[in-house]
Amino acid sequence: MAIIEVENLSKHYGPVKALNGVSFSVEKGEIIGLLGPNGAGKTTTMKLLTGFLQPTEGTARLVGFDVVNNPIAVQSMVGYLPENAPLYLDMIVQEYLVMMAELRNISPDQRRRLLSEAVHATGLQDRLTQTIGNLSKGFRQRVGLAQAILHKPQVLILDEPTNGLDPNQIIEIRNLIKRLAQNATVIVSTHILSEVEATCDRAIIIMDGELRSDARLDEMTHTSAAVVAVNESAGDVEPTLKKLKGVRDVRREETKNGYTRFRVTGEKELDLCPLLFDAAKSESWRLAELRPETRTLESVFRELNERKGLAA
């Protein structure tokens, strides 16, 4: 059974569609990157999943509970770290975490153990007696994470968890998220592509309130294309490439320094490079370049954004 099930989820503010007909599911133990530009609908999605907002249409279920009909049950199973962590800067770290444990109705006989586990998981042992306002931003994020995992949630939802942190702090939080994912399903919302590549197994991309892509990162960035640059004087290169078995498309890209580059797309799982090398050898072409095409999450994001622009 999926831990999170979202069906046709929408949130409208009058004529403004902050989220429009989004559907996806998340299995136990996955680390999901909820990706999109600012204003895409990521935070709205998370607020709907945690019961902070009610949908205009559609349903969302966490661990089998409907977020509208059973918000308390859902919230008892969710750990949520909003973009601006709900911290009281004049409180001592330990005092704040004890307060959060009480608000979570954690029984006194479990409280000490769960507090200790959250503190050790987030590396706050040496900061317990410090005032939150005197901590670095990285340690404040750790305090926010500690309150989110106090009750051992089955689902952990993090909104821009590394926003504003320095490079060392970002690495620390990334590693912490991976450790936390050993005991919880995690959704990380961000507009920073490298965060998803470094942390997540799968990416859900939302643009203008609509779902644009949902796939594992290795599937999303996989490509069956190759790039080959052939001497400009070679004749009939494009027709020859198109006739090769398994080649679906050939696109001329540019001519530079006496060589013309082509992007060749093949059938799924076909290794094009040996095929192109054999063709070049057979035709006595000189090669300046021959390599598989590399596809990054950034290029996927750019393609989706360009399609959105064409559809507008």
Side-chain angles (χ1 to χ4, degrees):
M1 182 184 76
I3 291 290
I4 301 172
E5 299 171 281
V6 174
E7 297 178 8
N8 196 36
L9 198 62
S10 300
K11 181 63 179 178
H12 302 165
Y13 298 96
V16 178
K17 297 180 179 180
L19 202 68
N20 191 33
V22 169
S23 299
F24 61 86
S25 64
V26 180
E27 299 296 324
K28 183 177 180 180
E30 286 191 286
I31 307 179
I32 303 295
L34 187 60
L35 183 62
N38 288 328
K42 305 185 301 298
T43 297
T44 298
T45 300
M46 289 184 295
K47 287 183 176 179
L48 290 169
L49 289 178
T50 53
F52 286 178
L53 291 176
Q54 291 204 355
T56 305
E57 297 174 0
T59 60
R61 290 181 293 275
L62 275 74
V63 200
F65 292 99
D66 187 285
V67 296
V68 174
N69 298 328
N70 297 284
I72 301 302
V74 167
Q75 289 167 5
S76 70
M77 300 179 190
V78 173
Y80 180 38
L81 177 64
E83 184 174 358
N84 297 309
L87 304 176
Y88 295 92
L89 301 184
D90 58 342
M91 294 185 75
I92 293 170
V93 172
Q94 181 171 301
E95 180 185 24
Y96 170 77
L97 293 177
V98 169
M99 180 190 73
M100 295 305 297
E102 292 172 348
L103 290 174
R104 282 286 184 184
N105 290 322
I106 297 174
S107 61
D109 58 323
Q110 290 185 306
R111 194 174 300 161
R112 181 183 291 273
R113 175 178 60 84
L114 292 179
L115 280 168
S116 176
E117 290 178 3
V119 165
H120 281 82
T122 52
L124 289 170
Q125 304 94 302
D126 298 330
R127 299 293 189 276
L128 290 177
T129 58
Q130 289 186 234
T131 303
I132 294 174
N134 291 331
L135 297 176
S136 68
K137 189 162 186 178
F139 273 102
R140 289 184 197 176
Q141 285 292 80
R142 289 172 181 248
V143 175
L145 281 168
Q147 67 79 26
I149 64 172
L150 263 176
H151 55 302
K152 294 285 188 182
Q154 295 188 50
V155 177
L156 189 57
I157 298 177
L158 311 175
D159 190 359
E160 303 285 0
T162 61
N163 187 33
L165 302 184
D166 66 38
N168 288 330
Q169 293 169 337
I170 288 173
I171 292 171
E172 290 173 359
I173 296 298
R174 282 177 184 170
N175 292 334
L176 177 56
I177 290 170
K178 291 177 181 178
R179 292 199 301 272
L180 295 175
Q182 296 173 9
N183 300 305
T185 298
V186 181
I187 295 181
V188 180
S189 170
T190 182
H191 63 281
I192 303 173
L193 303 178
S194 59
E195 287 305 300
V196 176
E197 290 179 316
T199 310
C200 303
D201 308 312
R202 173 178 149 209
I204 294 174
I205 299 178
I206 295 177
M207 292 182 174
D208 293 336
E210 297 183 350
L211 184 67
R212 301 289 184 184
S213 181
D214 177 6
R216 290 187 58 84
L217 291 187
D218 53 357
E219 296 171 351
M220 193 174 285
T221 57
H222 174 75
T223 176
S224 57
V227 174
V228 60
V230 180
N231 58 297
E232 188 180 359
S233 58
D236 298 325
V237 175
E238 193 168 345
T240 301
L241 293 176
K242 287 181 176 179
K243 290 177 183 177
L244 296 177
K245 186 177 181 180
V247 170
R248 289 169 34 210
D249 182 61
V250 178
R251 188 176 70 203
R252 182 188 295 263
E253 293 198 326
E254 66 173 349
T255 299
K256 187 176 181 181
N257 298 327
Y259 288 86
T260 302
R261 179 183 290 127
F262 297 88
R263 180 182 184 273
V264 184
T265 305
E267 301 291 343
K268 189 175 181 180
E269 307 303 333
L270 176 65
D271 186 356
L272 281 171
C273 287
L275 188 68
L276 297 177
F277 179 80
D278 289 343
K281 185 177 179 181
S282 174
E283 299 292 330
S284 299
W285 297 335
R286 296 195 307 275
L287 298 181
E289 183 179 10
L290 176 60
R291 59 177 174 80
E293 182 183 59
T294 54
R295 194 168 189 240
T296 64
L297 192 55
E298 181 179 350
S299 63
V300 172
F301 193 85
R302 188 170 55 248
E303 288 170 16
L304 292 171
N305 205 43
E306 289 171 355
R307 286 183 211 165
K308 179 189 74 170
L310 291 173

